[in-house]
PDB file of all heavy atoms in Angstrom:
ATOM      1  N   PHE A  70      -8.031  -1.847  -1.185  1.00  0.00           N
ATOM      2  CA  PHE A  70      -7.108  -2.605  -2.112  1.00  0.00           C
ATOM      3  C   PHE A  70      -6.463  -1.621  -3.114  1.00  0.00           C
ATOM      4  O   PHE A  70      -5.253  -1.731  -3.317  1.00  0.00           O
ATOM      5  CB  PHE A  70      -7.891  -3.680  -2.802  1.00  0.00           C
ATOM      6  CG  PHE A  70      -7.136  -4.345  -3.927  1.00  0.00           C
ATOM      7  CD1 PHE A  70      -6.160  -5.251  -3.622  1.00  0.00           C
ATOM      8  CD2 PHE A  70      -7.445  -4.110  -5.224  1.00  0.00           C
ATOM      9  CE1 PHE A  70      -5.439  -5.905  -4.627  1.00  0.00           C
ATOM     10  CE2 PHE A  70      -6.780  -4.747  -6.253  1.00  0.00           C
ATOM     11  CZ  PHE A  70      -5.795  -5.648  -5.940  1.00  0.00           C
ATOM     12  N   ALA A  71      -7.269  -0.682  -3.639  1.00  0.00           N
ATOM     13  CA  ALA A  71      -6.713   0.265  -4.592  1.00  0.00           C
ATOM     14  C   ALA A  71      -5.678   1.142  -3.963  1.00  0.00           C
ATOM     15  O   ALA A  71      -4.616   1.488  -4.584  1.00  0.00           O
ATOM     16  CB  ALA A  71      -7.837   1.107  -5.200  1.00  0.00           C
ATOM     17  N   ILE A  72      -5.862   1.538  -2.715  1.00  0.00           N
ATOM     18  CA  ILE A  72      -4.884   2.330  -2.002  1.00  0.00           C
ATOM     19  C   ILE A  72      -3.638   1.497  -1.686  1.00  0.00           C
ATOM     20  O   ILE A  72      -2.478   1.952  -1.861  1.00  0.00           O
ATOM     21  CB  ILE A  72      -5.448   2.927  -0.680  1.00  0.00           C
ATOM     22  CG1 ILE A  72      -6.596   3.854  -1.033  1.00  0.00           C
ATOM     23  CG2 ILE A  72      -4.432   3.603   0.127  1.00  0.00           C
ATOM     24  CD1 ILE A  72      -7.402   4.302   0.182  1.00  0.00           C
ATOM     25  N   ALA A  73      -3.866   0.243  -1.206  1.00  0.00           N
ATOM     26  CA  ALA A  73      -2.750  -0.587  -0.798  1.00  0.00           C
ATOM     27  C   ALA A  73      -1.850  -1.020  -1.938  1.00  0.00           C
ATOM     28  O   ALA A  73      -0.649  -1.212  -1.753  1.00  0.00           O
ATOM     29  CB  ALA A  73      -3.290  -1.828  -0.057  1.00  0.00           C
ATOM     30  N   VAL A  74      -2.404  -1.176  -3.165  1.00  0.00           N
ATOM     31  CA  VAL A  74      -1.572  -1.581  -4.248  1.00  0.00           C
ATOM     32  C   VAL A  74      -0.534  -0.551  -4.638  1.00  0.00           C
ATOM     33  O   VAL A  74       0.571  -0.914  -5.079  1.00  0.00           O
ATOM     34  CB  VAL A  74      -2.510  -1.933  -5.475  1.00  0.00           C
ATOM     35  CG1 VAL A  74      -1.737  -2.062  -6.759  1.00  0.00           C
ATOM     36  CG2 VAL A  74      -3.256  -3.173  -5.216  1.00  0.00           C
ATOM     37  N   LEU A  75      -0.799   0.682  -4.370  1.00  0.00           N
ATOM     38  CA  LEU A  75       0.197   1.743  -4.716  1.00  0.00           C
ATOM     39  C   LEU A  75       1.263   1.875  -3.640  1.00  0.00           C
ATOM     40  O   LEU A  75       2.256   2.555  -3.911  1.00  0.00           O
ATOM     41  CB  LEU A  75      -0.567   3.066  -4.852  1.00  0.00           C
ATOM     42  CG  LEU A  75      -1.563   3.152  -6.030  1.00  0.00           C
ATOM     43  CD1 LEU A  75      -2.304   4.456  -5.996  1.00  0.00           C
ATOM     44  CD2 LEU A  75      -0.924   2.940  -7.328  1.00  0.00           C
ATOM     45  N   LEU A  76       1.070   1.327  -2.498  1.00  0.00           N
ATOM     46  CA  LEU A  76       2.031   1.560  -1.409  1.00  0.00           C
ATOM     47  C   LEU A  76       3.440   0.987  -1.678  1.00  0.00           C
ATOM     48  O   LEU A  76       4.423   1.621  -1.370  1.00  0.00           O
ATOM     49  CB  LEU A  76       1.467   0.928  -0.114  1.00  0.00           C
ATOM     50  CG  LEU A  76       0.246   1.647   0.458  1.00  0.00           C
ATOM     51  CD1 LEU A  76      -0.255   0.930   1.659  1.00  0.00           C
ATOM     52  CD2 LEU A  76       0.590   3.054   0.813  1.00  0.00           C
ATOM     53  N   PRO A  77       3.579  -0.244  -2.228  1.00  0.00           N
ATOM     54  CA  PRO A  77       4.935  -0.693  -2.509  1.00  0.00           C
ATOM     55  C   PRO A  77       5.710   0.134  -3.556  1.00  0.00           C
ATOM     56  O   PRO A  77       6.939   0.122  -3.542  1.00  0.00           O
ATOM     57  CB  PRO A  77       4.725  -2.122  -3.077  1.00  0.00           C
ATOM     58  CG  PRO A  77       3.383  -2.520  -2.522  1.00  0.00           C
ATOM     59  CD  PRO A  77       2.614  -1.279  -2.464  1.00  0.00           C
ATOM     60  N   ILE A  78       5.019   0.896  -4.353  1.00  0.00           N
ATOM     61  CA  ILE A  78       5.694   1.705  -5.370  1.00  0.00           C
ATOM     62  C   ILE A  78       6.372   2.935  -4.716  1.00  0.00           C
ATOM     63  O   ILE A  78       7.533   3.237  -5.053  1.00  0.00           O
ATOM     64  CB  ILE A  78       4.687   2.191  -6.419  1.00  0.00           C
ATOM     65  CG1 ILE A  78       4.130   1.035  -7.179  1.00  0.00           C
ATOM     66  CG2 ILE A  78       5.362   3.188  -7.394  1.00  0.00           C
ATOM     67  CD1 ILE A  78       2.960   1.409  -8.044  1.00  0.00           C
ATOM     68  N   PHE A  79       5.743   3.531  -3.747  1.00  0.00           N
ATOM     69  CA  PHE A  79       6.251   4.794  -3.145  1.00  0.00           C
ATOM     70  C   PHE A  79       6.743   4.585  -1.727  1.00  0.00           C
ATOM     71  O   PHE A  79       7.257   5.524  -1.114  1.00  0.00           O
ATOM     72  CB  PHE A  79       5.154   5.875  -3.127  1.00  0.00           C
ATOM     73  CG  PHE A  79       4.661   6.176  -4.564  1.00  0.00           C
ATOM     74  CD1 PHE A  79       3.426   5.755  -4.971  1.00  0.00           C
ATOM     75  CD2 PHE A  79       5.475   6.868  -5.398  1.00  0.00           C
ATOM     76  CE1 PHE A  79       2.924   6.061  -6.217  1.00  0.00           C
ATOM     77  CE2 PHE A  79       5.037   7.145  -6.681  1.00  0.00           C
ATOM     78  CZ  PHE A  79       3.739   6.753  -7.110  1.00  0.00           C
ATOM     79  N   GLY A  80       6.565   3.412  -1.166  1.00  0.00           N
ATOM     80  CA  GLY A  80       6.931   3.180   0.245  1.00  0.00           C
ATOM     81  C   GLY A  80       8.383   3.039   0.459  1.00  0.00           C
ATOM     82  O   GLY A  80       9.227   3.142  -0.474  1.00  0.00           O
ATOM     83  N   PRO A  81       8.828   2.739   1.730  1.00  0.00           N
ATOM     84  CA  PRO A  81      10.243   2.737   2.033  1.00  0.00           C
ATOM     85  C   PRO A  81      10.969   1.479   1.618  1.00  0.00           C
ATOM     86  O   PRO A  81      12.213   1.493   1.638  1.00  0.00           O
ATOM     87  CB  PRO A  81      10.231   2.879   3.580  1.00  0.00           C
ATOM     88  CG  PRO A  81       8.938   2.297   3.987  1.00  0.00           C
ATOM     89  CD  PRO A  81       7.992   2.642   2.915  1.00  0.00           C
ATOM     90  N   LEU A  82      10.280   0.466   1.249  1.00  0.00           N
ATOM     91  CA  LEU A  82      10.954  -0.800   0.869  1.00  0.00           C
ATOM     92  C   LEU A  82      11.411  -0.763  -0.610  1.00  0.00           C
ATOM     93  O   LEU A  82      10.590  -0.404  -1.462  1.00  0.00           O
ATOM     94  CB  LEU A  82      10.014  -1.971   1.027  1.00  0.00           C
ATOM     95  CG  LEU A  82       9.615  -2.285   2.487  1.00  0.00           C
ATOM     96  CD1 LEU A  82       8.596  -3.423   2.504  1.00  0.00           C
ATOM     97  CD2 LEU A  82      10.847  -2.600   3.330  1.00  0.00           C
ATOM     98  N   LYS A  83      12.625  -1.089  -0.820  1.00  0.00           N
ATOM     99  CA  LYS A  83      13.125  -1.160  -2.205  1.00  0.00           C
ATOM    100  C   LYS A  83      12.702  -2.515  -2.796  1.00  0.00           C
ATOM    101  O   LYS A  83      12.862  -3.550  -2.150  1.00  0.00           O
ATOM    102  CB  LYS A  83      14.615  -0.941  -2.241  1.00  0.00           C
ATOM    103  CG  LYS A  83      15.019   0.418  -1.788  1.00  0.00           C
ATOM    104  CD  LYS A  83      16.527   0.545  -1.800  1.00  0.00           C
ATOM    105  CE  LYS A  83      16.889   1.980  -1.285  1.00  0.00           C
ATOM    106  NZ  LYS A  83      18.357   2.151  -1.153  1.00  0.00           N
ATOM    107  N   PRO A  84      12.196  -2.515  -4.046  1.00  0.00           N
ATOM    108  CA  PRO A  84      11.731  -3.775  -4.588  1.00  0.00           C
ATOM    109  C   PRO A  84      12.875  -4.675  -4.977  1.00  0.00           C
ATOM    110  O   PRO A  84      14.000  -4.280  -5.223  1.00  0.00           O
ATOM    111  CB  PRO A  84      10.968  -3.325  -5.818  1.00  0.00           C
ATOM    112  CG  PRO A  84      11.539  -1.988  -6.219  1.00  0.00           C
ATOM    113  CD  PRO A  84      11.979  -1.369  -4.913  1.00  0.00           C
ATOM    114  N   TRP A  85      12.574  -5.964  -5.031  1.00  0.00           N
ATOM    115  CA  TRP A  85      13.567  -6.953  -5.446  1.00  0.00           C
ATOM    116  C   TRP A  85      13.852  -6.854  -6.943  1.00  0.00           C
ATOM    117  O   TRP A  85      12.970  -6.574  -7.749  1.00  0.00           O
ATOM    118  CB  TRP A  85      13.051  -8.392  -5.226  1.00  0.00           C
ATOM    119  CG  TRP A  85      13.136  -8.772  -3.783  1.00  0.00           C
ATOM    120  CD1 TRP A  85      14.187  -8.677  -2.950  1.00  0.00           C
ATOM    121  CD2 TRP A  85      12.055  -9.284  -3.010  1.00  0.00           C
ATOM    122  NE1 TRP A  85      13.896  -9.122  -1.706  1.00  0.00           N
ATOM    123  CE2 TRP A  85      12.587  -9.498  -1.690  1.00  0.00           C
ATOM    124  CE3 TRP A  85      10.701  -9.606  -3.244  1.00  0.00           C
ATOM    125  CZ2 TRP A  85      11.825 -10.010  -0.680  1.00  0.00           C
ATOM    126  CZ3 TRP A  85       9.959 -10.125  -2.182  1.00  0.00           C
ATOM    127  CH2 TRP A  85      10.532 -10.323  -0.909  1.00  0.00           C
TER     128      TRP A  85
END
Side-chain angles (χ1 to χ4, degrees):
F70 171 74
I72 295 169
V74 167
L75 297 175
L76 294 176
I78 297 171
F79 301 107
L82 295 176
K83 294 179 182 175
W85 284 309

